[in-house]
Amino acid sequence: MTSTREEENGGYRLVQILAVLIGAGAFAAAFVMSRKGGLVYLDYVKDPFVRDVMVGTWIGIPTALAGAVCAYLGGQDRAWDWIRVAATVTLTANLLVPAAWLVMALMKAGIIGF
């Protein structure tokens, strides 16, 4: 192979696709953990030991941030093709998980209300 560009290398493209898939899986896991924890945090569901809130905050948020990093690396230095679009969507989705916890904290504090 005479090409020196990394994005023309098939193996590099596979690594980027894997990074985007890992980011998507991290988002799915963080969403599931944060959804139930958010319901308990906002007192919609009762959990006497507050396990779901702890899982959502201590595991869900770092998982989403790690997924955002993976998605960023998967789309880094690429032309705008389907891999970069998927990486951008995955990055945005992963960053929405900590943003949702911030909105829930503001709702709980009474600063914003719905």
Side-chain angles (χ1 to χ4, degrees):
M1 185 173 191
T2 60
S3 177
T4 58
R5 294 186 60 184
E6 289 179 338
E7 63 188 28
E8 293 176 5
N9 186 355
Y12 188 71
R13 178 175 290 203
L14 288 176
V15 169
Q16 286 182 313
I17 291 170
L18 179 64
V20 173
L21 290 175
I22 290 171
F27 168 70
F31 176 78
V32 169
M33 289 184 275
S34 294
R35 182 181 175 276
K36 192 167 183 188
L39 292 173
V40 173
Y41 182 71
L42 294 174
D43 294 328
Y44 292 133
V45 177
K46 297 298 177 199
D47 183 14
F49 300 110
V50 196
R51 292 176 296 217
D52 295 324
V53 173
M54 297 307 287
V55 168
T57 55
W58 290 91
I59 300 173
I61 292 173
T63 300
L65 293 176
V69 169
C70 288
Y72 173 76
L73 292 175
Q76 185 180 19
D77 296 332
R78 288 199 58 85
W80 281 100
D81 58 352
W82 67 273
I83 296 173
R84 187 157 184 189
V85 170
T88 304
V89 169
T90 306
L91 171 68
T92 304
N94 275 301
L95 291 178
L96 285 176
V97 172
W101 277 101
L102 178 65
V103 169
M104 285 187 287
L106 292 173
M107 286 172 63
K108 184 97 173 191
I111 296 173
I112 60 173
F114 289 102

